[in-house]
Amino acid sequence: EEFGMRRGMADVLNDLGESARHSGNLDVADQHYKAAVEIFRALGDPEMAIPRLNRGLVMFERGRHQHARLFLEGCLETYRRQGRKSLQATTHVCLLGCTAALEDWKACDAHLTWSQLLLSQTGMVAEDIARLAEYAAEQAHTKDHEQLAQDAWKLAQSQWAALGHPDRANAIETRRS
């Protein structure tokens, strides 16, 4: 019973972190994610993977792209060992954003390829995926990496459409033309 209560508390902390992150309150978000990770870790619960990934998103959103990249690469290895393809897909998209910000185009291509493969296998859809793919596309376009930009926009467009945001998907279609 106590396990269930503590696990529930960790889930709530992660949700509070999500709310804070989406409101732009990154310090509060990171505090909630850290607390959730610690509870999951104490319970030996592999669900700590989710608030860990969210901490990487906070690092990215703070503009700490290299730090986020290193952190997320560590997360990715864990998710591979655990066989968690949805988390691998999401992490590859996060790393796509990081490597685009760092102008590591070879790594961008690899993360985009893995993202596309894993997303097609899992059907994973998330606003963070759409937003990060769109960010990577803009970065690639700005630096004249047009094929990467087009492929990342296509990924973002499909995510926005699947999320029920035809306005966002249509805006990307216009941008791609």
Side-chain angles (χ1 to χ4, degrees), residues 43 64 81 83 113 128 145 154:
L43 296 173
R64 299 178 62 206
R81 281 193 308 274
T113 299
D128 285 326
H145 291 272
K154 184 177 178 183

Side-chain angles (χ1 to χ4, degrees), residues 134 157 160-161 163-174:
E134 194 169 354
Q157 184 178 14
W160 286 124
L163 288 163
H165 293 286
D167 54 326
R168 300 288 298 261
N170 291 337
I172 292 172
E173 181 62 33
T174 302

Side-chain angles (χ1 to χ4, degrees), residues 117-164:
L117 174 67
L118 291 163
L119 290 169
S120 72
Q121 291 175 358
T122 64
M124 180 72 178
V125 176
E127 188 173 314
D128 285 326
I129 293 171
R131 198 172 40 80
L132 287 161
E134 194 169 354
Y135 172 86
E138 293 293 339
Q139 294 298 307
H141 176 70
T142 300
K143 300 294 182 177
D144 295 322
H145 291 272
E146 282 307 313
Q147 188 59 54
L148 176 62
Q150 291 297 320
D151 292 344
W153 270 323
K154 184 177 178 183
L155 173 58
Q157 184 178 14
S158 68
Q159 288 284 309
W160 286 124
L163 288 163

Side-chain angles (χ1 to χ4, degrees), residues 8-94:
M9 186 185 309
D11 285 333
V12 168
L13 285 165
N14 185 67
D15 290 345
L16 288 170
E18 286 290 88
S19 179
R21 183 170 64 87
H22 291 290
S23 298
N25 196 339
L26 300 180
D27 290 336
V28 171
D30 198 40
Q31 290 170 2
H32 287 308
Y33 296 142
K34 277 184 193 176
V37 167
E38 289 309 312
I39 292 170
F40 282 131
R41 183 175 286 132
L43 296 173
D45 193 323
E47 286 308 300
M48 80 171 122
I50 295 167
R52 282 188 71 215
L53 175 59
N54 291 335
R55 289 198 68 212
L57 286 168
V58 167
M59 292 171 204
F60 175 84
E61 290 175 17
R62 284 181 169 155
R64 299 178 62 206
H65 301 121
Q66 182 61 31
H67 188 69
R69 180 183 188 175
L70 295 172
F71 183 83
L72 289 165
E73 285 171 347
C75 291
L76 183 58
E77 287 307 312
T78 299
Y79 307 151
R80 281 184 181 140
R81 281 193 308 274
Q82 294 172 341
R84 300 182 77 172
K85 289 186 176 186
S86 291
L87 286 174
Q88 289 175 55
T90 304
T91 305
H92 275 293
V93 178
C94 294

